[in-house]
Amino acid sequence: MSNSHTPPDVVHLRSEDNVVVAARHLEADQAISCNGHRIKLTGSIPMGHKVAVRPIARGEAIRKFGQIIGFASQDIAPGEHVHVHNVRLGHFERDYAFCTEVPPPVRAEEIRYFHGYDRGDGRYGTRNYVAVISTVNCSASVSKYISERIRQSELLRQYPNVDGVIAITHKSGCAIPFEGPDHQQLERTLAGFARHANIGACVLVGLGCETAHALHLVQGGLVQLGQKHDLLAVLTIQECGGIARTVEAGVRAIAEMLPRVNDVKRVPLPASKLVLATQCGGSDGNSGVTANPALGYASDLLVAQGGTVVLAETPEIYGAEHLLTRRAITRAVGEKLVERIRWWEWYTGLFGAEINNNPSPGNKAGGLTTIYEKSLGAVAKGGTTALMDVVLYAEPIRSTGLVVMDTPGYDPVSMTGLVAGGCNIAVFTTGRGSVYGCKPVPTIKVSTNTPLYERMSDDMDVDAGVILSRGVRVAEVGRMLFEEILAVASGKKTKSELHGVGEEEFAPWTIGPTL
């Protein structure tokens, strides 16, 4: 990468902003430059934190990204640190202006390709796993025993085109209302993994008396025995005769499936077959300045190829949703997003919580002050194209272009829904240092700042911090990230894959009571 300019001390994102963001740690009494003025700092400012560049009266809006991120809880002088000690959330009206800023579609002049798996039924994969999926926690151990038996044997060495056998287990599956919201949502999630393009074959393992029993998935049509011929098996511990017999049955089933799974080969596929999950976790004040805008640029490149980009984490869209409703392809799509925002206001209030309980303590230590600020940086991951659809958690993603999926902000839960919806590759931005990985979907981790990348280079795939540390343009990092997406989709291992991370991170969202 080339340097395009000398890295600054601070970044002034919009001319109307009354704060700037520290590009590195700044010392007290240091002078910074903003719009031709020299401003003396009243105290030290950590990297990613905000500094006032003009007087801000108590009650006045704090502006970053040209948008409101909160309100001054006291008078703030130029050069002062702007953070939780002098900023409150406050409510303000957002003008949703549905469909008023829908950008025209852009198509790339050159078709780009990756080498992936064509399943022959409209599904296109970037990995080739066998999954042992537990329908209930009661069958979680058995599912793990099956996968461990296969991995401990010499069997997989005979099948080099198989990425591995993974156990998909969780803590739910019973003590929820039968066919109620939680049951339906869990079944969507389990079915989404069972039929995922990165899964070449799967074994569903249940106990036999649980709410989310395996046969209900099959009989309900969410998972069809005929769709993969001999690449799907359903086992229940009670019918098999206990743990040992179920494990033996599972091992036999997988041994019979492996030759078929191994037969599939990578072939050139257009980038339009990629469905990209975008996620941010352990965010900091630079997330919305470096990594997220760079990912947004890469997202636009993928959409121009005819691909799909999925933005999630609805509580981290809160306060920035008006930027998306203006880009909604129809008013109905925009109103679907607003309806989800209103649901989250109701849902958090039901438990005496506030959406502003997010940002986390770690986010705040990294410079994020309010949920509005976090959200404005987070939505940058989705780029600038039209919003084509809004879907429920784990709902199959059928639109191309930019889509929003309604998920919580908690990373494992959000990513579980995105994968279940059909995302076959993921990019995860982090400023504090998340070590997240997700099988069966490769996850590219992008650091928002160079010190993090250097400190955790064994876990970070891309350093977007060079935008500040070396003056590299956002577009250049975005193009590089797009190339990394194609490379990983073609089989390049991510850092989390090299560590073997990704099975324990399966975490379906439970929204109701445990009975």
Side-chain angles (χ1 to χ4, degrees), residues 123-142:
R123 297 176 304 127
Y124 303 92
T126 62
R127 295 295 184 268
N128 189 31
Y129 282 99
V130 175
V132 185
I133 301 177
S134 173
T135 63
V136 65
N137 183 250
C138 307
S139 59
S141 292
V142 169

Side-chain angles (χ1 to χ4, degrees), residues 464-498:
V466 295
I467 292 168
L468 295 179
S469 65
R470 289 172 47 191
V472 179
R473 292 181 298 114
V474 168
E476 188 172 349
V477 176
R479 281 193 295 270
M480 182 270 291
L481 184 51
F482 176 70
E483 296 298 331
E484 185 73 3
I485 290 168
L486 295 179
V488 169
S490 299
K492 178 181 178 180
K493 297 291 186 183
T494 64
K495 297 291 180 65
S496 62
E497 287 181 295
L498 293 174

Side-chain angles (χ1 to χ4, degrees), residues 52-275:
V53 292
R54 60 183 71 121
I56 305 174
R58 180 178 180 180
E60 186 179 345
I62 310 293
R63 292 184 178 272
K64 180 183 175 184
F65 307 109
Q67 301 288 328
I68 295 173
I69 65 168
F71 299 87
S73 58
Q74 61 190 55
D75 292 341
I76 305 173
E80 280 193 46
H81 186 198
V82 177
H83 200 29
V84 293
H85 61 285
N86 54 15
V87 178
R88 59 178 177 82
L89 185 65
H91 295 282
F92 67 98
E93 292 296 322
R94 273 94 78 189
D95 181 4
Y96 291 136
F98 296 103
C99 312
T100 57
E101 299 176 12
V102 181
V106 175
R107 285 291 177 260
E109 295 181 1
E110 176 190 3
I111 298 176
R112 298 299 305 277
Y113 293 84
F114 70 102
H115 285 78
Y117 300 103
D118 185 349
R119 301 295 182 187
D121 55 6
R123 297 176 304 127
Y124 303 92
T126 62
R127 295 295 184 268
N128 189 31
Y129 282 99
V130 175
V132 185
I133 301 177
S134 173
T135 63
V136 65
N137 183 250
C138 307
S139 59
S141 292
V142 169
S143 299
K144 286 187 176 182
Y145 296 159
I146 294 170
S147 65
E148 287 169 359
R149 278 274 300 275
I150 295 290
R151 287 189 290 217
Q152 289 167 3
S153 71
E154 298 294 316
L155 193 59
L156 282 176
R157 294 188 180 183
Q158 303 174 33
Y159 304 106
N161 295 328
V162 179
D163 287 305
V165 176
I166 56 176
I168 303 297
T169 65
H170 56 98
K171 305 300 182 185
S172 184
C174 204
I176 52 179
F178 184 71
E179 295 189 343
D182 266 325
H183 185 198
Q184 293 175 1
Q185 186 160 275
L186 178 60
E187 286 202 328
R188 281 203 309 270
T189 306
L190 297 174
F193 272 70
R195 62 172 179 251
H196 196 277
N198 289 4
I199 299 296
C202 78
V203 178
L204 292 174
V205 183
L207 176 61
C209 58
E210 67 273 17
T211 302
H213 58 87
L215 286 179
H216 191 269
L217 274 171
V218 175
Q219 293 166 352
L222 291 175
V223 178
Q224 298 176 13
L225 284 170
Q227 70 183 24
K228 291 186 179 180
H229 306 292
D230 56 347
L231 297 179
L232 172 66
V234 179
L235 305 174
T236 59
I237 297 170
Q238 292 166 355
E239 290 185 6
C240 286
I243 290 176
R245 291 176 182 175
T246 307
V247 171
E248 292 298 332
V251 170
R252 285 196 304 271
I254 292 174
E256 293 172 1
M257 293 172 176
L258 281 171
R260 286 277 314 277
V261 180
N262 190 67
D263 282 345
V264 66
K265 304 291 191 299
R266 288 187 181 271
V267 296
L269 296 170
S272 60
K273 305 305 181 184
L274 290 175
V275 184

Side-chain angles (χ1 to χ4, degrees), residues 287-512:
S287 294
V289 179
T290 59
N292 289 351
L295 175 51
Y297 192 94
S299 295
D300 286 350
L301 293 177
L302 182 56
V303 171
Q305 292 286 331
T308 303
V309 173
V310 190
L311 188 65
E313 306 174 276
T314 311
E316 296 177 19
I317 292 174
Y318 186 77
E321 72 273 13
H322 59 290
L323 302 181
L324 295 171
T325 57
R326 296 168 185 228
R327 290 157 47 192
I329 194 69
T330 66
R331 185 182 181 94
V333 169
E335 287 179 338
K336 283 170 72 175
L337 178 58
V338 175
E339 186 276 328
R340 289 289 83 199
I341 292 290
R342 297 289 177 256
W343 183 90
W344 275 97
E345 289 177 329
W346 168 81
Y347 181 64
T348 53
L350 193 65
F351 300 99
E354 296 179 353
I355 297 181
N356 199 46
N357 289 353
N358 180 348
S360 70
N363 296 150
K364 292 176 181 177
L368 292 174
T369 304
T370 68
I371 188 56
Y372 298 152
E373 179 183 11
K374 187 177 184 181
S375 295
L376 288 162
V379 298
K381 303 191 301 294
T384 62
T385 60
L387 176 61
M388 304 302 293
D389 200 5
V390 176
V391 299
L392 297 176
Y393 185 86
E395 186 178 352
I397 299 158
R398 295 188 172 92
S399 297
T400 58
L402 177 62
V403 175
V404 167
M405 176 179 283
D406 179 31
T407 76
Y410 185 38
D411 303 323
V413 178
S414 178
M415 279 296 299
T416 295
L418 287 165
V419 173
C423 293
N424 54 14
I425 192 164
V427 175
F428 187 119
T429 66
T430 181
R432 304 293 289 172
S434 173
V435 295
Y436 183 83
C438 178
K439 293 179 181 179
V441 172
T443 303
I444 301 166
K445 290 196 297 298
V446 183
S447 68
T448 72
N449 61 84
T450 297
L452 167 63
Y453 182 81
E454 293 174 343
R455 187 171 66 252
M456 298 182 65
S457 58
D458 290 341
D459 300 284
M460 299 295 117
D461 297 285
V462 176
D463 178 20
V466 295
I467 292 168
L468 295 179
S469 65
R470 289 172 47 191
V472 179
R473 292 181 298 114
V474 168
E476 188 172 349
V477 176
R479 281 193 295 270
M480 182 270 291
L481 184 51
F482 176 70
E483 296 298 331
E484 185 73 3
I485 290 168
L486 295 179
V488 169
S490 299
K492 178 181 178 180
K493 297 291 186 183
T494 64
K495 297 291 180 65
S496 62
E497 287 181 295
L498 293 174
H499 282 299
V501 176
E503 286 184 68
E504 297 297 332
E505 287 68 20
F506 180 75
W509 180 20
T510 301
I511 56 177

Side-chain angles (χ1 to χ4, degrees), residues 278-294:
T278 65
Q279 183 78 21
C280 52
S283 300
D284 70 352
N286 284 329
S287 294
V289 179
T290 59
N292 289 351

